[in-house]
Amino acid sequence: RENFIHLCNPHLEKMKEDILYHFALGTGTHDFPALFGDVKFVCVGGSPSRMRAFIAYIAEELGLGSPGCDYPNICAGTDRYAMYKVGPVLSVSHGMGIPSISIMLHELIKLLYHAKCSNITIVRIGTSGGIGLEPGSVVITRQSVDATFKPQFEQVILGKTVIRSTNLDEQLAKELMECSKEIGQFNTVIGNTMCTLDFYEGQGRLDGAICLYNEEEKLQYLKEAYDSGVRNIEMESSVFAAMCNLSGVKAAVVCVTLLNRLEGDQISSSHDVLVEYQQRPQKLVGYFIKKSLGKV
């Protein structure tokens, strides 16, 4: 059954042209079905260089590219986001934090709609701070929760507070977990992910420019988070889950933990170790895509 993007905006039908400003793309200047109509998998992550590395990795895994092959940035007309494509896979950067990924998702969802894409799976791959996990563990998100551990995304629209669900696709999470077991290279868990508005105070760190609480209070908060089912902390998953839900898109969040926040706040692992950690979500999602395409 074909599952197309559900667009929650009747106003778009009245527009002669839709300009995706932050992508430097538009329906009046680009043939979206020709460019993107075959896309089935979309992977998004914060860093442009990481998403470029991912598309090179997946191209090699799917046998669609050669070593050293250059993949042009489809959004080269802007410096806001970067986008790469190979075969049925689209790789897009989203920057850091809820506002940045929200803007990107509005335009990405419209892009997929205009391209008449169907049966899309979107996965956010990234890094996070772990709670009670060894550094390098991968967390597949069950629910994104806010800083009070509620599974919701709260936004003020036209002066009114709107609350949206942040559940993610349960079956997709199970499939990703099974893929990790088949790979057998790193610890992977399914757990809740806390999405915050800030990297420092919002995550209870003691090493920011401002900190008006003590270590005991910090640890108590993080232990409460752990007891509620939270296994990692990042800054994008809530709006990602909410917007994918509203658009009828199957979505998952797969993040590696760079440290255990119960043991410290600063990321002190060596560059080489961190690079290897950051490749783990790519390996897992890459394997999932290969398996979904019958190439495993």
Side-chain angles (χ1 to χ4, degrees):
R1 189 173 65 88
E2 295 293 290
N3 181 28
F4 292 93
I5 302 293
H6 174 63
L7 216 55
C8 299
N9 185 356
H11 305 289
L12 292 174
E13 296 298 328
K14 303 171 187 175
M15 293 167 52
K16 292 182 180 179
E17 180 183 4
D18 189 6
I19 298 170
L20 308 186
Y21 172 72
H22 302 89
F23 283 168
L25 299 171
T27 55
T29 53
H30 297 79
D31 186 341
F32 282 50
L35 288 169
F36 306 106
D38 61 339
V39 170
K40 296 297 179 185
F41 303 95
V42 183
C43 295
V44 303
S47 159
S49 61
R50 199 181 303 154
M51 300 322 292
R52 186 177 183 278
F54 176 75
I55 208 68
Y57 173 75
I58 200 67
E60 189 173 346
E61 288 292 295
L62 297 180
L64 298 174
S66 54
C69 182
D70 186 44
Y71 300 94
N73 176 11
I74 297 169
C75 297
T78 175
D79 59 0
R80 294 296 182 187
Y81 303 106
M83 180 186 295
Y84 306 94
K85 181 182 182 297
V86 64
V89 183
L90 197 64
S91 177
V92 192
S93 70
H94 59 59
M96 191 182 296
I98 286 172
S100 185
I101 192 174
S102 170
I103 295 165
M104 188 281 290
L105 285 171
H106 273 283
E107 298 188 14
L108 174 63
I109 289 164
K110 291 197 297 177
L111 179 153
L112 297 170
Y113 173 80
H114 292 313
K116 298 179 170 56
C117 294
S118 64
N119 302 332
I120 294 288
T121 298
I122 302 183
V123 184
R124 166 170 141 65
I125 54 176
T127 59
S128 63
I131 303 181
L133 296 174
E134 284 296 310
S137 298
V138 171
V139 179
I140 301 167
T141 304
R142 176 184 290 110
Q143 285 181 318
S144 176
V145 301
D146 64 17
T148 64
F149 319 139
K150 294 176 183 175
Q152 64 184 36
F153 172 63
E154 187 176 301
Q155 185 171 9
V156 177
I157 302 172
L158 301 182
K160 298 177 181 177
T161 299
V162 176
I163 294 175
R164 291 170 175 165
S165 167
T166 54
N167 288 337
L168 288 151
D169 192 280
E170 187 177 347
Q171 182 58 35
L172 178 56
K174 289 179 180 177
E175 290 174 16
L176 286 162
M177 187 68 191
E178 185 61 32
C179 285
S180 182
K181 290 177 182 177
E182 291 174 17
I183 295 171
Q185 294 181 12
F186 40 79
N187 180 47
T188 303
V189 301
I190 295 178
N192 290 348
T193 295
M194 182 161 70
C195 183
T196 66
L197 303 177
D198 164 54
F199 185 81
Y200 287 98
E201 290 179 283
Q203 297 187 10
R205 277 184 161 83
L206 301 174
D207 60 342
I210 299 168
C211 180
L212 303 177
Y213 46 85
N214 60 39
E215 185 171 9
E216 184 180 348
E217 290 170 320
K218 165 209 156 174
L219 288 173
Q220 181 180 348
Y221 175 67
L222 293 180
K223 285 173 182 175
E224 287 175 5
Y226 184 89
D227 290 342
S228 76
V230 172
R231 293 297 176 266
N232 65 334
I233 312 173
E234 47 84 270
M235 297 184 288
E236 293 87 17
S237 60
S238 62
V239 72
F240 173 80
M243 291 182 69
C244 288
N245 280 337
L246 284 170
S247 304
V249 180
K250 189 162 63 171
V253 177
V254 179
C255 289
V256 69
T257 60
L258 300 183
L259 75 167
N260 180 359
R261 287 294 316 288
L262 295 176
E263 296 179 354
D265 296 329
Q266 298 214 323
I267 300 167
S268 56
S269 297
S270 71
H271 173 75
D272 290 345
V273 168
L274 292 176
V275 167
E276 194 278 321
Y277 284 173
Q278 290 173 23
Q279 290 171 348
R280 293 181 179 185
Q282 296 186 23
K283 287 181 180 178
L284 175 50
V285 175
Y287 183 89
F288 166 78
I289 291 173
K290 283 179 66 178
K291 188 176 179 182
S292 299
L293 294 173
K295 295 196 174 188
V296 171

